[in-house]
Amino acid sequence: MTFEKLEKNLMDVVLEEQAKLGFRREKIRLYYPLSTLNHLLGTQDTAEQMEVTLAGQPESMTIKLGKLAVSRKGDRFCLCIPEEGSAYVHEHFAEKGFIYELIRLIGQHDCKMEDIRQLFLRYSENIYVEEMRGEDFDVMIRFPEEMGDPYCYCFRDEGCHVIYHRFLLEDYADLMKA
C-alpha cells in the first residue's frame, strides 16, 4: 500500500477546482466512495479498515497537504484538506497546462467535441478515444498511462455546452461494467 496515488489525486482535484473557481486559501472537502480509495491505495479494505488506513497518513503527504481530517458515512468518505493544502497546490502548480486549457475550452459556448479532441492531441499524438453508450456521456478520451495523467475524461455535448467528468481508469472500468 502506498499513499502516492491518493496524494496525486487530491492535488489534481484541488488544482481542477482552482482552475474552475480560482484560488482561495480554504479548507476543501472531497468525497470518495470506498472503491475509489481502494483503487488509489491499492487495498481491498472494508470501510472500517479504510478508516485505520487513512489515519496512517505519511509525513511526506502531510507536509504538503496538511493532516487530512477523515470522516465517513457508510462507504462514503470525506477527506478534508486544511487551508495549507489548498495554498500548497496553488503555490506549487502554475496556472497553466492541460486542465486549465480544458476548463477554458469547455467554458466556451461554441466548444465542440472535435475542439476537445484537438486539445488532447496537442498534448499527445497517442490518445485513446471511446464512444460511450448511455445517457450520461458521449465520449471518453484519455492519455497513455506513461504521460502521468491517470484519468478518463468523459464528455457529453448538451447542445449549448459540453460537460465533463474525469474518472480514475479503474473507476471508469467499474462504471462500464455497471
Side-chain angles (χ1 to χ4, degrees):
M1 174 193 58
T2 176
F3 277 79
E4 290 169 1
K5 283 177 74 175
L6 176 60
E7 178 184 319
K8 178 179 176 11
N9 183 265
L10 292 167
M11 286 195 264
D12 286 349
V13 174
V14 171
L15 185 64
E16 180 184 29
E17 179 181 297
Q18 290 176 359
K20 289 177 180 176
L21 304 173
F23 168 69
R24 231 177 113 186
R25 185 180 176 88
E26 63 186 346
K27 292 179 183 178
I28 299 174
R29 288 173 178 78
L30 302 175
Y31 295 87
Y32 289 86
L34 175 62
S35 60
T36 297
L37 291 172
N38 276 320
H39 291 148
L40 287 166
L41 294 167
T43 57
Q44 294 184 346
D45 287 356
T46 64
E48 293 77 18
Q49 291 168 323
M50 184 58 71
E51 284 183 304
V52 173
T53 298
L54 292 173
Q57 299 162 36
E59 184 180 6
S60 60
M61 186 170 88
T62 60
I63 287 171
K64 299 171 192 164
L65 294 174
K67 181 75 172 164
L68 304 179
V70 178
S71 60
R72 81 171 172 99
K73 278 192 172 181
D75 284 354
R76 185 172 182 239
F77 286 77
C78 174
L79 306 183
C80 182
I81 301 170
E83 293 176 357
E84 60 263 29
S86 64
Y88 177 89
V89 171
H90 177 70
E91 292 163 6
H92 289 85
F93 297 96
E95 292 184 8
K96 60 182 180 180
F98 176 75
I99 195 68
Y100 281 91
E101 288 188 54
L102 176 62
I103 289 167
R104 273 194 301 271
L105 179 61
I106 65 169
Q108 300 171 6
H109 287 294
D110 60 347
C111 176
K112 304 288 180 234
M113 291 294 186
E114 181 58 24
D115 300 328
I116 294 167
R117 193 176 75 76
Q118 289 301 317
L119 174 62
F120 274 84
L121 287 170
R122 283 204 336 253
Y123 282 83
S124 174
E125 294 177 5
N126 301 313
I127 61 172
Y128 299 93
V129 180
E130 182 178 303
E131 298 297 318
M132 298 178 71
R133 292 180 216 142
E135 298 177 15
D136 294 333
F137 301 105
D138 300 321
V139 66
M140 181 280 294
I141 307 174
R142 71 176 177 86
F143 293 109
E145 289 182 46
E146 61 270 9
M147 283 203 49
D149 185 328
Y151 304 105
C152 294
Y153 294 81
C154 298
F155 299 92
R156 179 180 172 113
D157 186 343
E158 296 200 325
C160 60
H161 66 281
V162 174
I163 61 166
Y164 84 98
H165 187 80
R166 64 183 184 174
F167 298 92
L168 291 173
L169 189 57
E170 300 90 342
D171 288 341
Y172 178 75
D174 290 348
L175 177 69
M176 293 297 93
K177 287 178 195 171

